[in-house]
Amino acid sequence: MASSATAIPNQAARRSNKSIYMVLGCTVFAATAQVLLKFGAMHPMPAVNPGDTSTWMPFLAALLKNYPLILGYAAHSGNALLLILALRDGELSLLYPIIALTYVWVNLLSMYFFHDRMNIWKAAGIALVIGGVAVMGRASSRT
């Protein structure tokens, strides 16, 4: 009888850790989506005049050929699906702050792909986000 009682907390801990890893995966999906959307936004697109229906077809054709944009939205879909699965078994107050790590990955990827510059304020913000996620995770694990 005692062995089944000890198995339940271990099983719950495994489920919780699985949810944490899934939400960490969400942050990677979300950051990747943001970078892909930025690449897609840089693609030239024909102008659209809402009153002139003849301008819509070239715009839609160009939109369908904008693969970074399509992949970015697909990555957002993957992010949403993974988050739904993670939230089924995880504790929302523990998992949701982890999503803030997306800001960290987006900053790092922006520096790499778009040559954005890091300054003291961005670095401080990243440190605060990481510290906040750590504090929230620690506080949730103690309750």
Side-chain angles (χ1 to χ4, degrees), residues 14-51:
R14 258 194 312 251
R15 242 191 329 237
S16 177
N17 286 341
K18 181 180 174 185
S19 295
I20 289 171
Y21 296 133
M22 288 168 61
V23 171
L24 284 171
C26 284
T27 67
V28 173
F29 267 113
T32 301
Q34 293 300 315
V35 169
L36 287 168
L37 290 177
K38 170 78 172 177
F39 277 122
M42 295 187 306
H43 276 225
M45 297 290 287
V48 175
N49 181 358

Side-chain angles (χ1 to χ4, degrees), residues 81-119:
L81 179 64
L82 197 56
L83 184 60
I84 290 167
L85 294 173
L87 292 176
R88 287 172 56 187
D89 293 326
E91 185 180 331
L92 181 62
S93 62
L94 170 65
L95 298 176
Y96 204 74
I98 296 171
I99 294 172
L101 291 175
T102 302
Y103 298 115
V104 175
W105 311 142
V106 168
N107 259 294
L108 297 175
L109 290 171
S110 294
M111 288 170 45
Y112 182 78
F113 287 112
F114 307 116
H115 308 290
D116 288 358
R117 294 178 187 240
M118 178 65 65
N119 60 35

Side-chain angles (χ1 to χ4, degrees), residues 46-57 59:
V48 175
N49 181 358
D52 184 6
T53 57
S54 66
T55 61
W56 283 94
M57 287 310 285
F59 175 78

